[in-house]
Amino acid sequence: MKGFKGGIYKSYIKRPMDFILSLIAIILLSPVFVIVAILVRIKLGSPVLFKQRRPGLNEKIFMMYKFRTMTDERDETGELLPDEVRLTKFGKFLRSTSLDELPELFNILKGDMSIIGPRPLLVQYLTLYNNHQKRRHEVRPGLSGLAQVSGRNAISWEEKFNLDIEYVDNVSFKGDWKIIFMTIMKVFVREGISSDNAATMEPFKGNKKEEWNYEK
């Protein structure tokens, strides 16, 4: 049982399961993809998809896809306005329902991501992680994860990373399906979409110097 929980499931079952489930989801949700894409084009303009480089398994960089949720409004100097200004009512709806995440199903199909795992964060965060936090890249990043069903953007970075590593250390078939069902429930309740102090989540600024910058 221990081997199935860790090694066998993680090595031989998780990836085929991801491929099959993501393919089924793409087929079944294809009408939703079309409708959301049209609405994004009408309400937010082009491009419909938001593309960004993110680190995946073993910190390998891949291109992640999402539906666009923000405008490109800029100030007089050409700088983008704050998230809370560019995030429209429609964009907030897409995020609260997680419809903006649907294109990531193609990332799962390609093998860049998994259905369940630590969320793929920004590339610039890679140099800010301590050794403990870097372990989140020992598995493929996920469409949802333990941190997302435990508070999503409403919990601190430290709590989020600790939950990511807890997942890495306890990958299992039962655990993944539990998170899948909890994710579905969270989407309907729309919990933890934003932090207490920002429209989305405050940027990760790293740990205290003595915790991670061992060369100085």
Side-chain angles (χ1 to χ4, degrees):
M1 181 66 183
K2 184 176 180 181
F4 177 75
K5 176 182 177 181
I8 295 177
Y9 171 69
K10 186 176 177 180
S11 301
Y12 302 106
I13 299 175
K14 186 173 172 65
R15 174 59 193 151
M17 185 179 79
D18 284 337
F19 181 87
I20 293 170
L21 291 180
S22 60
L23 180 60
I24 292 173
I26 289 170
I27 294 171
L28 294 179
L29 295 174
S30 56
V32 179
F33 273 91
V34 174
I35 292 171
V36 174
I38 292 173
L39 289 175
V40 170
R41 180 67 178 84
I42 293 172
K43 294 180 176 293
L44 297 174
S46 182
V48 169
L49 291 180
F50 170 78
K51 297 185 290 185
Q52 191 172 56
R53 295 168 69 248
R54 297 289 177 96
L57 178 64
N58 299 322
E59 300 184 5
K60 180 181 178 181
I61 307 301
F62 69 96
M63 188 67 72
M64 189 187 76
Y65 306 103
K66 298 176 68 172
F67 278 122
R68 181 178 176 182
T69 59
M70 293 186 182
T71 66
D72 286 329
E73 293 178 88
R74 299 174 183 269
D75 60 22
E76 60 275 7
T77 65
E79 293 293 325
L80 287 171
L81 294 176
D83 288 356
E84 57 267 24
V85 177
R86 296 188 296 119
L87 185 59
T88 65
K89 185 176 180 179
F90 176 65
K92 290 179 181 178
F93 169 76
L94 290 180
R95 291 191 177 202
S96 67
T97 56
S98 294
L99 288 171
D100 64 316
E101 310 279 1
L102 287 180
E104 290 171 44
L105 288 168
F106 289 97
N107 286 121
I108 298 172
L109 197 67
K110 290 169 56 183
D112 297 326
M113 294 176 59
S114 178
I115 291 175
I116 302 300
R119 285 293 295 161
L121 301 177
L122 300 178
V123 173
Q124 54 261 42
Y125 291 171
L126 288 174
T127 59
L128 303 179
Y129 298 142
N130 58 33
N131 290 334
H132 175 71
Q133 294 162 350
K134 283 184 177 182
R135 294 196 57 224
R136 68 193 312 277
H137 295 291
E138 292 177 8
V139 298
R140 285 185 177 85
L143 183 65
S144 182
L146 184 58
Q148 282 59 55
V149 299
S150 302
R152 200 172 177 178
N153 286 336
I155 60 177
S156 69
W157 280 111
E158 183 179 1
E159 292 172 305
K160 188 177 295 187
F161 289 138
N162 286 337
L163 288 167
D164 288 342
I165 306 309
E166 180 181 337
Y167 174 79
V168 170
D169 288 335
N170 297 280
V171 176
S172 70
F173 179 84
K174 180 180 178 181
D176 276 7
W177 277 100
K178 181 179 179 180
I179 295 173
I180 288 172
F181 287 122
M182 290 178 69
T183 299
I184 294 171
M185 292 175 61
K186 290 284 184 179
V187 168
F188 281 110
V189 176
R190 302 187 191 181
E191 287 183 346
I193 305 301
S194 301
S195 67
D196 292 334
N197 303 313
T200 52
M201 181 70 184
E202 294 88 352
F204 177 56
K205 298 179 180 178
N207 309 277
K208 291 182 179 179
K209 187 174 182 180
E210 61 270 17
E211 292 180 344
W212 63 274
N213 196 348
Y214 298 106
E215 295 181 355
K216 295 183 180 182

